[in-house]
């Protein structure tokens, strides 16, 4: 009898629903502490705890390594290390699950900032009747930095609101601007959306100079990775009113400490990395992995294969 493949799950609550794999995989669950010991015996690693960095420290150890690693997230920076990048192991991600939810969340943030909803809620709590004028969204301009499926879906959603949206990617191609166009686009944008993966080229790309390029009426939104942004520079840009407002759904350090000054910066909306997390999203992630597992067992090509040197799924 052929032994079942061993599927090692770096677990988190609630656990994934893998009932369809009953009798088709030997499923072993582990936490961060047990990962290094169990890696050599695994054929497949499911990184269900996508907030964990345990893979980066456990992977360089002794013994064989799984031939396939899947992370239940769009980004792979939390698990990538030089040894994994140089190996023959195939890495896949959760591309496709978060595109529409994140795009909706960005649209909600744009509308909230344009219509001054945060201050409306503040005035309501204070029982203060204060009439103001708000901004029109239709006819404004946005630049979306990140040309993957999430970035392109954000652009499509904003266009439905009447926003002219330009997308900037790593290389220029039809419908996508290259990095050389970014500063020019930033200088004209009303909305700047960061949705790029975290790589050495994108780390800290939104710095003091970039915020200085933006016009005073511009608002900045980050739904990519916290490390895309120099947070001290953003705070200064808001305090000096170089830009009109900002929203961060991802931060350099998560969860954000209660004593962090970011909670109190005027014009800054902070949310707890929730832009892609809609009702039922974990079930979608689990179903996606099961479908990929079925392809793997059948010897069919896997979808969502990450270029480990670039840090994302290429060709889109």
């Amino acid at each position: 009898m052929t032994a079942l493949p061993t599927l090692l799950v770096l677990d988190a609550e609630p656990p994934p629903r893998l009932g369809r794999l009953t009798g088709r995989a030997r499923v072993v669950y582990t936490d961060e502490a047990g990962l290094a010991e169990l890696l050599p015996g695994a054929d497949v690693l499911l990184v269900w705890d996508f907030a964990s960095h345990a893979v980066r420290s456990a992977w360089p150890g002794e013994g064989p390594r799984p031939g396939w690693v899947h992370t239940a997230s769009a980004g792979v920076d939390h698990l990538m290390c030089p040894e994994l990048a140089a190996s023959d192991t195939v890495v896949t991600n959760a591309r496709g699950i978060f595109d529409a939810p994140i795009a909706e969340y960005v649209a909600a943030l744009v509308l909230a900032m344009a219509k001054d909803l945060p201050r409306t809620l503040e005035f309501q709590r204070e029982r203060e009747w204060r009439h103001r004028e708000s901004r029109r969204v239709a006819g404004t301009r946005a630049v979306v930095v990140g040309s993957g499926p999430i970035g392109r879906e954000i652009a499509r959603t904003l266009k439905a609101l009447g926003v002219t949206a330009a997308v900037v990617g790593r290389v220029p191609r039809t419908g996508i601007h290259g990095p050389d166009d970014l500063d020019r686009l930033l200088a004209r944008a009303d909305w700047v959306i960061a949705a790029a993966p975290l790589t050495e080229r994108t780390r800290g790309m939104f710095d003091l100079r970039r915020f200085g390029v933006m016009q005073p009426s511009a608002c900045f939104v980050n739904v990519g990775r916290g490390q895309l942004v120099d947070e001290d520079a953003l705070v200064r840009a808001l305090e000096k009113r170089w830009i009109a407002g900002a929203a961060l759904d991802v931060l350099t350090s998560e969860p954000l400490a209660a004593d962090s000054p970011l909670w109190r910066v005027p014009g800054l909306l902070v949310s707890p990395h929730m832009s892609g997390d809609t009702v039922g999203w974990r079930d979608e992630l689990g179903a996606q992995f099961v479908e990929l597992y079925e392809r793997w067992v059948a010897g069919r090509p896997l979808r969502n294969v990450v270029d480990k040197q670039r840090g994302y799924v290429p060709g889109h």
Side-chain angles (χ1 to χ4, degrees):
M1 179 180 293
T2 303
L4 294 176
T6 297
L7 167 60
L8 180 61
V9 181
L10 180 57
D11 206 7
E13 290 295 333
R17 295 184 179 183
L18 302 175
R20 283 168 53 189
L21 299 185
T22 301
R24 305 165 70 185
R26 174 178 172 264
V27 182
V28 178
Y29 294 89
T30 186
D31 57 14
E32 293 185 348
L35 180 63
E37 180 181 353
L38 293 172
L39 267 179
D43 298 294
V44 180
L45 172 64
L46 168 57
V47 185
W48 188 250
D49 185 358
F50 47 79
S52 171
H53 290 77
V55 175
R56 294 172 63 178
S57 57
W59 194 270
E62 297 294 328
R65 291 294 179 260
W68 169 34
V69 174
H70 177 78
T71 178
S73 61
V76 298
D77 52 277
H78 61 291
L79 58 86
M80 201 60 65
C81 61
E83 291 82 1
L84 175 54
S87 73
D88 294 331
T89 296
V90 175
V91 176
T92 58
N93 71 353
R95 176 183 176 272
I97 299 296
F98 302 107
D99 307 356
I102 291 178
E104 292 174 358
Y105 198 87
V106 169
L109 290 173
V110 166
L111 288 168
M113 289 188 284
K115 305 306 176 184
D116 201 21
L117 294 185
R119 285 207 304 165
T120 294
L121 295 174
E122 290 178 9
F123 293 146
Q124 180 178 349
R125 283 191 292 268
E126 298 298 325
R127 303 181 184 183
E128 183 175 346
W129 184 275
R130 186 178 298 189
H131 179 270
R132 290 106 62 216
E133 295 178 346
S134 63
R135 299 173 63 182
R136 285 290 307 273
V137 172
T140 59
R141 296 174 174 173
V143 55
V144 181
V145 182
S147 60
I150 292 174
R152 297 199 308 272
E153 187 64 28
I154 291 171
R156 280 192 291 268
T157 302
L158 292 178
K159 287 176 182 177
L161 297 175
V163 179
T164 300
V167 179
V168 176
R170 188 179 68 90
V171 294
R173 56 192 187 275
T174 303
I176 305 294
H177 294 269
D180 291 345
D181 292 334
L182 179 56
D183 286 354
R184 174 178 61 82
L185 293 168
L186 289 179
R188 305 170 61 195
D190 300 288
W191 315 102
V192 178
I193 317 298
L198 179 61
T199 69
E200 288 309 308
R201 297 180 64 172
T202 62
R203 186 182 300 273
M205 67 181 301
F206 289 99
D207 54 12
L208 203 61
R209 187 189 69 79
R210 284 261 161 75
F211 289 121
V213 168
M214 299 177 196
Q215 55 185 352
S217 60
C219 291
F220 174 77
V221 175
N222 186 14
V223 290
R225 282 290 183 266
Q227 293 84 354
L228 300 178
V229 179
D230 179 337
E231 291 173 352
D232 291 338
L234 175 61
V235 169
R236 182 176 178 186
L238 289 167
E239 291 178 342
K240 299 292 185 180
R241 297 186 180 179
W242 293 355
I243 60 175
L248 299 178
D249 185 56
V250 287
L251 296 113
T252 299
S253 178
E254 298 181 7
L256 187 63
D259 60 354
S260 171
L262 291 176
W263 291 113
R264 301 181 297 276
V265 177
L268 176 61
L269 297 175
V270 173
S271 57
H273 204 150
M274 58 181 283
S275 61
D277 302 348
T278 53
V279 175
W281 65 288
R282 290 184 176 87
D283 289 341
E284 292 184 51
L285 287 170
Q288 181 188 54
F289 173 74
V290 169
E291 180 183 349
L292 287 170
Y293 184 87
E294 291 171 343
R295 296 178 67 89
W296 179 77
V297 167
R300 299 164 59 195
L302 289 171
R303 298 191 178 101
N304 295 5
V305 175
V306 173
D307 183 320
K308 294 184 292 182
Q309 302 303 320
R310 296 182 184 180
Y312 54 88
V313 179
H316 301 283

